[in-house]
Amino acid sequence: MIKIEVYKKKGAIARVRVTGNGGDKKGEDIVCCAVSAITQTALAGLLYHGKKQINWNMKDGLLDISVSDSEDRELAATFDIILSTMILG
């Protein structure tokens, strides 16, 4: 089972923690592949826009992304848009 936890701070997404697997054979689980593709693409977007403000940990069955507070409102909005779009996916 895949579990997605979303934590907000001041109305914006501050952390997303994705754990587990889809339950099918490793490498053959289309749900797990889809979740991995969406979440890892979002992580790439976050790192592209503000590498210094992103803390992350990824290993088998885990992706944990935290966004540090930013004084730059435009950057903070960009982070929230990326993470919100990831959740929609």
Side-chain angles (χ1 to χ4, degrees), residues 39-87:
T39 57
Q40 290 179 39
T41 299
L43 175 60
L46 293 168
L47 293 172
Y48 176 81
H49 287 284
K51 192 173 191 172
K52 292 181 182 177
Q53 286 82 20
I54 306 301
N55 297 305
W56 60 281
N57 182 19
M58 182 170 39
K59 57 185 175 185
D60 191 31
L62 169 72
L63 177 57
D64 193 352
I65 304 169
S66 296
V67 179
S68 299
D69 290 337
S70 176
E71 297 295 322
D72 183 337
R73 289 185 180 195
E74 187 175 326
L75 183 59
T78 298
F79 290 158
D80 197 52
I81 289 167
I82 291 170
L83 291 170
S84 295
T85 301
M86 179 188 77
I87 298 305

Side-chain angles (χ1 to χ4, degrees), residues 2 4 18 30-41 63 86 89:
I2 297 172
I4 301 172
V18 183
I30 194 164
V31 173
C32 194
C33 290
V35 171
S36 294
I38 291 169
T39 57
Q40 290 179 39
T41 299
L63 177 57
M86 179 188 77

